[in-house]
Amino acid sequence: MKILVCFKAAPDVEMLLDEDWVIDRKLQIDTSFVRNDLSAYDESALEMALQFSEASRDVGLDIELNALTVDGVGATPILKTLSALRFETAVRIEPGADLLFQPTAVASIISQYIRLHAPQDVVLFGSQSDIGENAKTPLLTAEMLGWPCITRATRIAPADEKYITVTHQVDDGHVRETLRLPCVISVGDTPCTYLRKPTLRDRLSYGKKTIAVLAAEDFKLPKETEILMDLEVLRHERDAAFIEGEGPAEKAKVLYEDYLKPLLSGK
């Protein structure tokens, strides 16, 4: 069984100061001086694949893990880490043009890569990256491949060579389903699935494998795709008030009389 995990190495924008948010003519912000990192969703998807591989081997299933990103050279350190974690292949597709806010183009490249270069049985995505956060790429990829897609997945487990068991969130809880391969899985809020760190021995033994690099020009991009029209900083500011009083009882009374009571009465 072949499993491909697609991820996006995004700049850690939390490191940017207010004065760093300068938008240039191409509607871009310079993030070249901050580190690239994985989103929590992508990290969960990668660790989930590793756990699935271990569980599969315990029941006698042969698993091949592969990693793919449509990104620049900034993703190379993450790909080397994945090689050290025993991912069979680590592939980077150089985007050439900026595809940051173009999930249709990214999904098209990924689906063509799977059909033309590396057929897979399961494709895992984090539900969204830290930049853009459109959450469309897994769904568009599944549509282009003609495969079923499960979203908000929290766990995958082996069933047999042709089926896997997927646990995913729904509005009122969780559902466990057995899914026939091939399929696309979008990983949602999964507790405690931080990507493990490779040992020094594994880094020396496996982390030096060559990273395969392809170019987006080798793939046919769709004629119609998204166009970034504008970019601005959203400021999430909240008002605050300090409640004065001699003690907890008096402060609680002020809180109720001045704030909660008007809300409850609709005034």
Side-chain angles (χ1 to χ4, degrees), residues 169-201:
Q169 292 177 308
V170 293
D171 290 341
D172 55 352
H174 288 77
V175 172
R176 184 181 294 115
E177 300 184 58
T178 299
L179 197 63
R180 184 179 177 88
L181 306 179
C183 65
V184 175
I185 297 173
S186 174
V187 177
D189 293 319
T190 306
C192 302
T193 52
Y194 304 105
L195 181 62
R196 66 191 69 178
K197 301 295 183 182
T199 64
L200 178 58
R201 176 175 295 179

Side-chain angles (χ1 to χ4, degrees), residues 45-253:
L46 290 162
E47 178 61 28
M48 190 180 293
L50 289 166
Q51 293 178 9
F52 180 86
S53 177
E54 292 170 345
S56 298
R57 291 192 175 96
D58 289 342
V59 297
L61 292 177
D62 187 25
I63 300 296
E64 178 184 300
L65 294 183
N66 305 292
L68 172 68
T69 184
V70 182
D71 208 345
V73 295
T76 300
I78 297 175
L79 289 167
K80 288 185 174 296
T81 295
L82 297 179
S83 294
L85 288 171
R86 314 291 184 88
F87 276 73
E88 187 70 22
T89 61
V91 180
R92 181 175 67 83
I93 299 178
E94 180 66 45
D98 179 33
L99 302 178
L100 185 58
F101 295 99
Q102 299 185 42
T104 302
V106 174
S108 178
I109 292 171
I110 293 173
S111 61
Q112 289 177 69
Y113 170 79
I114 294 168
R115 288 199 306 267
L116 303 176
H117 296 273
Q120 304 292 322
D121 298 299
V122 181
V123 182
L124 274 175
F125 288 85
S127 62
Q128 59 191 41
S129 70
D130 287 339
I131 301 295
E133 299 185 345
N134 55 72
K136 291 181 179 180
T137 308
L139 297 169
L140 290 169
T141 302
E143 181 179 359
M144 293 174 185
L145 290 171
W147 294 1
C149 181
I150 296 293
T151 61
R152 303 172 68 188
T154 58
R155 186 175 183 271
I156 57 175
D160 58 32
E161 293 181 353
K162 296 183 178 180
Y163 293 86
I164 63 171
T165 301
V166 183
T167 303
H168 62 102
Q169 292 177 308
V170 293
D171 290 341
D172 55 352
H174 288 77
V175 172
R176 184 181 294 115
E177 300 184 58
T178 299
L179 197 63
R180 184 179 177 88
L181 306 179
C183 65
V184 175
I185 297 173
S186 174
V187 177
D189 293 319
T190 306
C192 302
T193 52
Y194 304 105
L195 181 62
R196 66 191 69 178
K197 301 295 183 182
T199 64
L200 178 58
R201 176 175 295 179
D202 285 342
R203 284 191 179 276
L204 294 174
S205 299
Y206 304 100
K208 295 182 179 180
K209 290 194 301 185
T210 301
I211 305 300
V213 180
L214 303 176
E217 289 80 3
D218 299 331
F219 302 89
K220 184 178 180 180
L221 297 182
K223 294 181 180 180
E224 296 183 3
T225 187
E226 300 83 0
I227 299 175
L228 179 61
M229 302 297 296
D230 195 10
L231 193 66
E232 61 179 296
V233 179
L234 296 179
R235 302 189 180 278
H236 301 284
E237 299 178 352
R238 297 181 179 180
D239 294 330
F242 292 93
I243 298 176
E244 304 292 341
E246 294 296 329
E250 184 176 340
K251 291 180 180 180
K253 183 178 180 181

